[in-house]
Amino acid sequence: MGRLPVRRTAAVLVFALAGCSLGGTDKNTVPSPTTNVPVITVPEIPPPFPDLGTASLEPAKALKLQAVLAGIVRRHATIPEAESAARGVTAAIVTDRWIWSGAAGQDAVGKSLTPDTSMSVASITKTFVAAEVMRLARDEQLDLNAPISAYVKHTLTANQATVRQHLSMMSGVLDYLPADYARMDKAISAAPGRHWTPQQALAYDTAPTAPPGEFFAYSNPNYLLLGLMIEKVTGRPLAEVLRHDLAAPAGLQHAAFQDGEKPQPPVAGDADPLCGTEPDAYVPCRAVASRSAASAGLAADAPTIARWGYELYGGRVIGPGLAAEMTAGDGEYGLGTMLFTQQFGIGDAVGHTGDMPDHTSMLLVIGSKRLSIAMILAEGNKNVRTTMSELTAALQPLLG
């Protein structure tokens, strides 16, 4: 979910995107530094990734990757509190040559996982919302450098932060305070099957708003506001927009934008105490899913998330120019995208993590290798970066 604010120096943003609008009505206008817009230089835009491979990974190589998943579960049996252990795990890798997926262990209620088991992928949802905002900017339906208050009237938009600043977590809109989450949790536990609107969730945010552009602060309310903006600009529900504009073109059959959509079976069982004991077909339940919708409401399986990473950051679903803009940054966050650089030993990597009480997830895309990896742990608050590093270490010698 949220993280404490981390200070980051704002830079001046200059884009050279061939054939790609910056999202303003005047395509030749460069943002003025006086608007507190973060200034980043986008590198040369690579061509889009080729079509996904369709061949299965060779069995001997697949066994090496499956052994990593088995090790994560085995470690949980001996040291269940270990951050790099989990009771269950699924993973998938897609490349331009081959595909692989695997599973090990069980979900929170003891059901065996399969590669196509849907679980909450939490904040990976932000990559979809950011991609849709970029599409709308490209089509001149909104301006990335305009205040979001031009589209969404709310007390949290009164500081005149721009759309771009909300995407990059530089808006000055901070995450919910611990007491805010506690009050929300109490309301959810009282009615786990209730539908929450974004406005109802945002009403719990009591954190003071800061001036925009001064520091980086990871914040879920940023993306609830962006979701409201998408609905205002398009005149359609968020789930419908993301399905039509992104999921369908990317060939994602097993993604559910909750609570506008329900996860498709098989779905992992969840034991979130806020949700009671009666499943309601959402993950973990409708109240949590709808409260989090634009920031963390997505449920999907690992192959679907891996494919999404390939299609998005490979420039195939929104174009290479917009994908490059999303992955540009001078710190650890671009536009709805975490920038991992060389953390995983294969090459510069981008993507996103997600965390819910019973699920931890990660999407990792290495552009130089034209591959995308997804991992979902069937347990919350785990160190998915460590488990992902184990998988990439086993993968590296298999790439040839």
Side-chain angles (χ1 to χ4, degrees), residues 52 92 94 249-253 302-312 316 363 372 374:
L52 272 170
V94 300
L252 308 184
Q253 302 299 320
T304 294
I305 296 303
R307 183 183 183 110
W308 166 245
Y310 191 94
E311 296 289 331
L312 173 62
R316 294 170 54 83
L363 167 64
S372 177

Side-chain angles (χ1 to χ4, degrees), residues 16-391:
L17 299 178
C20 175
S21 166
L22 290 175
T25 53
D26 181 356
K27 299 181 182 179
N28 298 314
T29 299
V30 176
S32 167
T34 61
T35 62
N36 278 331
V37 177
V39 182
I40 305 156
T41 301
V42 175
E44 183 179 350
I45 299 168
F49 286 2
D51 290 347
L52 272 170
T54 56
S56 296
L57 182 62
E58 299 166 29
K61 294 180 177 180
L63 285 174
K64 295 181 183 298
L65 301 180
Q66 182 65 35
V68 174
L69 307 189
I72 294 168
V73 174
R74 187 166 55 249
R75 193 157 55 233
H76 183 268
T78 55
I79 319 174
E81 68 276 9
E83 287 190 349
S84 60
R87 58 186 162 230
V89 55
T90 64
I93 302 172
V94 300
T95 77
D96 59 336
R97 293 175 293 153
W98 51 264
I99 57 176
W100 169 84
S101 62
Q106 300 175 331
D107 64 16
V109 298
K111 293 189 300 184
S112 295
L113 298 175
T114 63
D116 61 348
T117 298
S118 281
M119 292 183 265
S120 169
V121 295
S123 287
I124 292 174
T125 310
K126 293 178 174 71
T127 64
F128 285 85
V129 171
E132 179 60 28
V133 172
M134 301 303 286
R135 282 190 75 262
L136 294 172
R138 179 197 64 195
D139 296 343
E140 298 189 346
Q141 293 183 258
L142 59 83
D143 183 348
L144 294 182
N145 300 319
I148 197 172
S149 59
Y151 311 100
V152 177
K153 303 299 182 185
H154 194 278
T155 56
L156 293 177
T157 68
N159 69 345
Q160 299 302 296
T162 66
V163 175
R164 190 188 301 279
Q165 287 168 330
H166 283 271
L167 286 169
S168 63
M169 306 292 188
M170 295 286 291
S171 69
V173 173
L174 307 184
D175 201 19
Y176 303 104
L177 299 175
D180 301 336
Y181 277 117
R183 289 186 299 114
M184 278 193 286
D185 289 350
K186 184 177 180 180
I188 288 169
S189 63
R194 167 192 166 196
H195 166 75
W196 285 54
T197 67
Q199 293 89 340
Q200 288 168 336
L202 289 169
Y204 282 83
D205 189 355
T206 65
T209 302
E214 291 192 352
F215 57 83
F216 170 83
Y218 189 89
S219 165
N220 290 301
N222 274 318
Y223 275 71
L224 295 186
L225 292 168
L226 290 166
L228 283 170
M229 181 186 67
I230 290 171
E231 292 188 331
K232 178 67 177 296
V233 169
T234 63
R236 294 179 289 158
L238 179 65
E240 180 182 318
V241 174
L242 298 182
R243 170 67 50 194
H244 178 272
D245 292 352
L246 300 174
L252 308 184
Q253 302 299 320
H254 211 209
F257 301 103
Q258 303 181 102
D259 67 336
E261 299 176 342
K262 291 182 178 179
Q264 301 172 39
V267 180
D270 201 289
D272 189 331
L274 296 179
C275 293
T277 58
E278 294 298 325
D280 64 1
Y282 297 95
V283 180
C285 59
R286 188 177 191 184
V288 173
S290 57
R291 175 198 70 178
S292 308
S295 65
L298 178 64
D301 59 19
T304 294
I305 296 303
R307 183 183 183 110
W308 166 245
Y310 191 94
E311 296 289 331
L312 173 62
Y313 296 114
R316 294 170 54 83
V317 70
I318 62 171
L322 295 185
E325 191 170 346
M326 287 180 65
T327 60
D330 65 343
E332 296 184 0
Y333 209 83
L335 303 181
T337 301
M338 291 179 174
L339 311 179
F340 302 114
T341 60
Q342 293 282 334
Q343 292 178 33
F344 294 91
I346 299 181
D348 280 340
V350 299
H352 218 288
T353 60
D355 197 0
M356 280 286 187
D358 275 343
H359 304 134
T360 313
S361 56
M362 186 170 199
L363 167 64
L364 189 73
V365 179
I366 297 94
S368 62
K369 301 295 184 180
R370 293 182 295 197
L371 67 86
S372 177
I373 311 171
M375 177 178 281
I376 311 175
L377 304 176
E379 198 156 350
N381 301 310
K382 293 295 182 174
N383 191 337
V384 70
R385 297 193 188 211
T386 297
T387 54
M388 179 65 82
S389 293
E390 295 176 26
L391 188 62

